[in-house]
Amino acid sequence: MPVDLEKIRSLCKRRGFIFPSSEIYGGLESTWDYGPLGVEMKNNVKRAWWRAVVYERDDMEGLDAAILMNRWVWKYSGHEDTFSDPLVDCRECKRRFRADQVQGRTCPECGGELTEPRMFNLMFKTFMGPVEDESALVYLRPETAQGIFVNFLNVQTTMRRKLPFGIAQIGKAFRNEITPGNFTFRTREFEQMEIEYFVKPGTDEEWFERWVEERFNWYLRLGIRRENLRQREQSPDELAHYAKRTIDIEYLFSIGWSEIEGIANRTDFDLRAHSKSNPENAHSIENLTYFDPETNEHITPYVIEPSAGVDRTMLAFLVDAYHEEEVRGQKRVVLKLHKELAPIKVAVLPLLRNRPEIVEMAKRIKRDLQSVVHTVYDDTGSIGRLYRRQDEIGTPFCVTVDVQSLEDQQVTIRDRDTMEQIRIAADQVKAYFLEQFGCHI
Ligand code: GAP
C-alpha cells in the first residue's frame, strides 16, 4: 500500500521539509514553503534533472526566461481561449468543483444541486505598472514552455544549433486551480522542469518514443520502485489543444495513479502560432523557422515536450522512500532516498557530548567534509536518537566519533539502509565520501 500523503505531510512539517505557507496567519490554501531540508532536496531534484537532460547530453541548452511575458504570447499560444477547466458551483453550500471531477449534478459535499458547468480560465492575472486597466494586464505564466518557444531563434542562432536540439528550463508556473489539494500534488504555485526538443518534421514520432523511455528511466535510476511507476497514453479527448500525442508518467500515490510528468508531441503548433507568417497572428515580428542546410529550405520544427513538476516529482521520491521498519522491537522510520537526492549527505555525531576531545574531533571532521559534501554536526541527543533522526530525514551516512576514536584515530561509518557499521581511519573519511558520492554532491 502506498503510504498516505498525510503521513508524508506530517513528517515534512515535523522535520523541516515543507511548511504551510503564511502559517502564522492561518495559512493560504494549498500553498507551501520549503524549509531547510525541503529546499535542499528540491535543489537536488532539479540538479539531478539538469545534469541528466543538459550536461550529460550533446544536444541541449539551458534557459531561464521571465515569468511575466507579453500578453500576446498567451493569446497566440491558445491559453487565453482554451486554458480553462469546466467549473460547477453548489447552490446550497457554495463550494466549487471541477465538473469533470464530480458525478452527475449533485454536490459531493452536501448533496445540494450543482449549477451548469461554465468555463473558468486558470491563468492568474495582474497588472504591469501603476494603471490597473485592460492594457496593463499581464499573466503569471501557467507553463514555462512558452518562454522557450519565443526564444527558439535566440538560442538556436547564438548557440549555432542544428536540428535536433532541445532547450531545458526550470521555473515557477501558476494556475488558479479550482480544486488544489493532496499536499503539494496540486497547488496554484508550483515549479516545472520542461524541455522543448526541436526535431525535423517526420522524425517526431521516433523522438517522442525516445524521450518517453529516457524520462521514465530517469525516475528508476533515482530509485523509484518500478512497480510504482507506469506510462499512460492520454485518450484523444484528454489531449491539450496543442498535442498530437501525450504519454503521462504516473506514480502510484495513496490517491491512486497520478501524473508526475507528461511527454507531449506538440507538433509545430507553437512555433507556427507565434510566427508572423501565421495569418491569425497580427503582432509577431519573427518567423520561428529553421534554415535546413541540407535541403536549403526554411522549415518549422516539430517539438517533443517532456514536462515534469518539481513538487510532484519530489513528492513521489518522498513517498517512495518512506519506510517503516521494526528494529529490535522498535519502530524505525527511514527515508531511503537516493543519495543524490538526500538533503543532507553525512551527519557527524559525537558519542559523548560531554567529552570535549570527542566533540572537538567530530567538529573537525565536519569542517573537513563540508567543502566537499553537505554535512551536519549534531550532538543534541543520545546516539540512538541521533541515528533515528537522520534515518527519518534520509541522511545516507552517519560518522560517529567515540572514546576509542581518541586512541586509534578511527571513526565509525553507519549506512542508513543496512545499518551496517564500518571503522575507518579519520583521515580517510573525506576520500571515502568523495568516492561514495562522486560528483553528485
Ligand atoms: N507545458 C506542458 C504542461 O504544462 P502539464 O501536464 O499541464 O503540461 C506538466 O504540466 C507538469 O507540471 C505535470 O506533469 C505536473 O507534474 C506539473 N503540474 C501541473 N499542474 C500542477 C499543479 N497545479 N500543481 C503541481 N504541479 C503541477
Side-chain angles (χ1 to χ4, degrees):
M1 267 299 284
V3 58
D4 200 272
L5 286 182
E6 184 48 35
K7 230 175 210 180
I8 300 295
R9 193 199 59 73
S10 159
L11 182 144
C12 284
K13 171 90 203 296
R14 211 171 55 247
R15 292 297 186 212
F17 281 81
I18 302 176
F19 310 123
S21 170
S22 330
E23 197 179 9
I24 62 165
Y25 288 104
L28 177 67
E29 194 190 359
S30 292
T31 53
W32 302 95
D33 296 340
Y34 286 77
L37 299 190
V39 66
E40 292 297 339
M41 182 171 168
K42 201 181 193 201
N43 283 342
N44 292 342
V45 170
K46 291 189 275 188
R47 248 195 305 268
W49 182 86
W50 194 268
R51 181 169 35 252
V53 306
V54 181
Y55 298 156
E56 292 178 359
R57 299 180 62 99
D58 304 318
D59 52 358
M60 294 288 299
E61 302 288 350
L63 181 74
D64 183 13
I67 289 174
L68 301 176
M69 302 178 79
N70 190 308
R71 184 179 166 185
W72 297 126
V73 170
W74 305 108
K75 174 175 170 51
Y76 294 112
S77 69
H79 284 78
E80 272 196 349
D81 293 334
T82 58
F83 196 61
S84 315
D85 275 343
L87 169 80
V88 288
D89 290 291
C90 173
R91 293 188 201 280
E92 302 299 321
C93 68
K94 309 295 179 206
R95 284 198 178 85
R96 292 187 155 173
F97 305 94
R98 260 171 58 179
D100 56 342
Q101 289 179 346
V102 291
Q103 298 204 326
R105 297 285 306 279
T106 312
C107 172
E109 293 292 331
C110 74
E113 190 195 351
L114 296 174
T115 59
E116 284 295 323
R118 62 192 164 87
M119 294 314 276
F120 172 76
N121 194 291
L122 300 181
M123 286 194 291
F124 275 97
K125 293 176 181 151
T126 187
F127 299 96
M128 199 135 174
V131 184
E132 297 197 0
D133 67 10
E134 183 72 10
S135 66
L137 190 145
V138 287
Y139 298 107
L140 302 188
R141 66 182 177 197
E143 60 170 13
T144 62
Q146 297 301 324
I148 299 182
F149 293 128
V150 299
N151 277 295
F152 166 70
L153 278 183
N154 284 335
V155 176
Q156 189 260 320
T157 53
T158 55
M159 307 314 285
R160 301 180 308 282
R161 280 290 182 180
K162 292 194 168 44
L163 294 185
F165 79 96
I167 304 176
Q169 177 169 222
I170 300 176
K172 290 263 182 174
F174 303 83
R175 296 183 189 175
N176 202 359
E177 300 278 2
I178 299 164
T179 45
N182 292 317
F183 193 28
T184 55
F185 183 80
R186 190 181 305 283
T187 53
R188 293 185 171 123
E189 172 182 344
F190 54 96
E191 255 183 301
Q192 290 187 314
M193 306 183 283
E194 296 204 295
I195 297 165
E196 306 304 327
Y197 194 79
F198 303 95
V199 304
K200 287 190 184 175
T203 63
D204 50 306
E205 290 179 12
E206 184 198 329
W207 276 108
F208 178 86
E209 302 286 349
R210 283 209 215 177
W211 272 109
V212 171
E213 194 186 326
E214 172 63 28
R215 293 301 308 140
F216 192 78
N217 288 336
W218 183 77
Y219 294 97
L220 300 180
R221 283 202 301 276
L222 285 171
I224 295 267
R225 281 167 286 173
R226 178 67 186 79
E227 64 270 26
N228 292 337
L229 205 65
R230 74 174 188 189
Q231 298 172 16
R232 189 183 68 83
E233 177 101 32
Q234 284 194 7
S235 60
D237 57 323
E238 285 177 275
L239 289 175
H241 61 277
Y242 48 72
K244 166 177 162 187
R245 187 177 175 203
T246 299
I247 286 183
D248 287 340
I249 297 178
E250 295 186 333
Y251 182 77
L252 183 57
F253 290 102
S254 56
I255 52 172
W257 287 101
S258 310
E259 173 194 342
I260 52 176
E261 172 162 352
I263 296 100
N265 183 342
R266 284 181 89 126
T267 69
D268 54 3
F269 177 91
D270 301 88
L271 293 182
R272 270 191 200 285
H274 289 306
S275 287
K276 68 177 178 185
S277 58
N278 170 9
E280 285 164 30
N281 191 324
H283 296 89
S284 172
I285 54 168
E286 281 287 4
N287 276 328
L288 300 181
T289 55
Y290 167 83
F291 180 73
D292 186 348
E294 284 167 23
T295 59
N296 282 341
E297 280 176 345
H298 285 275
I299 56 170
T300 306
Y302 266 42
V303 177
I304 307 303
E305 179 196 63
S307 171
V310 178
D311 313 79
R312 277 192 198 176
T313 301
M314 176 166 157
L315 188 60
F317 284 125
L318 282 169
V319 168
D320 214 72
Y322 184 94
H323 287 77
E324 287 179 7
E325 298 173 351
E326 195 168 302
V327 178
R328 289 185 289 279
Q330 289 208 324
K331 185 167 109 176
R332 174 172 101 117
V333 174
V334 53
L335 280 187
K336 295 188 176 176
L337 289 170
H338 189 284
K339 59 187 176 190
E340 199 176 339
L341 302 181
I344 294 168
K345 310 299 186 199
V346 181
V348 185
L349 316 171
L351 190 72
L352 301 169
R353 66 181 147 162
N354 54 5
R355 287 283 300 268
E357 317 93 281
I358 291 182
V359 167
E360 205 242 314
M361 185 173 175
K363 286 188 173 167
R364 199 171 57 238
I365 291 173
K366 190 266 175 184
R367 274 195 304 274
D368 193 36
L369 280 178
Q370 69 190 11
S371 62
V372 294
V373 66
H374 184 31
T375 310
V376 295
Y377 167 87
D378 192 3
D379 66 4
T380 56
S382 68
I383 193 70
R385 282 181 76 107
L386 296 179
Y387 280 154
R388 293 288 170 273
R389 196 180 294 162
Q390 296 301 330
D391 288 345
E392 212 182 359
I393 62 174
T395 307
F397 298 103
C398 290
V399 175
T400 309
V401 180
D402 54 26
V403 180
Q404 182 75 17
S405 306
L406 300 175
E407 286 161 25
D408 63 9
Q409 294 300 306
Q410 292 197 340
V411 293
T412 301
I413 295 182
R414 172 186 180 270
D415 181 290
R416 174 197 68 198
D417 297 342
T418 61
M419 290 185 290
E420 273 171 17
Q421 305 193 352
I422 55 166
R423 292 284 285 183
I424 69 167
D427 61 6
Q428 290 303 307
V429 169
K430 195 169 178 177
Y432 178 83
F433 287 122
L434 275 173
E435 191 176 331
Q436 284 293 327
F437 288 100
C439 67
H440 303 320
I441 45 182

